[in-house]
Amino acid sequence: SRYNWYKTQFNTGMYGNCGPACVAMAVHWATGKRISVVKSREEIGLPIKSGALTYRHMVSNFRFHGITTYDTLINTFDDMQSIIDRGNIAIILFNTTYIQPVQGDKSVIFVDRYYPDTTGHYVVIKGYSLD
């Protein structure tokens, strides 16, 4: 499947595993090596008591797996589109304060469900839609 590198932090033992989930996805996507989110967390450790990771922690683990990273400032959709169009993935960190709660079926709506507080959240972006 074209999504066989996708990982989720859900049911991985702790609230703050979005960073390790993104690292596990990137390692699998870039190298083909399958590592679990739990294994990713073990490799990275718990550098911040809350479970949070900094970009530096992630880059260190990418280097451990032989992955080259690029720091790219993303200001516009075109910036993101350019990264994806070159065959790369992007890992971004955003502040969940700016995500507006939505209404709907809780089985398909994840916003305002897992991050009820003000925190950062890492996500992997692999593609986009123009519609």
Side-chain angles (χ1 to χ4, degrees):
S1 161
R2 63 186 186 158
Y3 299 108
N4 66 357
W5 54 272
Y6 177 76
K7 314 263 190 276
T8 179
Q9 75 184 47
F10 304 128
N11 300 316
T12 59
M14 73 179 296
Y15 183 75
N17 270 345
C18 61
C22 288
V23 170
M25 280 190 276
V27 167
H28 190 167
W29 181 83
T31 69
K33 183 178 5 173
R34 294 177 182 266
I35 65 168
S36 69
V37 176
V38 172
K39 176 68 174 166
S40 178
R41 169 56 77 186
E42 289 171 0
E43 289 177 358
I44 296 167
L46 199 62
I48 301 172
K49 188 177 178 181
S50 67
L53 300 179
T54 65
Y55 174 69
R56 189 186 88 244
H57 299 126
M58 296 171 85
V59 168
S60 176
N61 196 254
F62 292 141
R63 287 187 182 137
F64 173 78
H65 287 281
I67 299 170
T68 302
T69 61
Y70 302 94
D71 299 342
T72 305
L73 184 61
I74 299 171
N75 288 315
T76 67
F77 174 75
D78 289 339
D79 296 338
M80 179 62 68
Q81 190 176 13
S82 176
I83 291 167
I84 303 303
D85 287 350
R86 288 192 309 265
N88 296 312
I89 60 173
I91 298 177
I92 64 167
L93 174 64
F94 63 91
N95 185 327
T96 58
T97 300
Y98 303 105
I99 302 295
Q100 297 297 314
V102 296
Q103 302 298 315
D105 181 349
K106 294 294 187 190
S107 68
V108 295
I109 302 295
F110 296 106
V111 176
D112 197 38
R113 198 167 148 209
Y114 297 102
Y115 284 87
D117 57 356
T118 303
T119 184
H121 184 58
Y122 287 107
V123 295
V124 171
I125 300 174
K126 173 60 179 109
Y128 59 86
S129 172
L130 297 176
D131 59 1

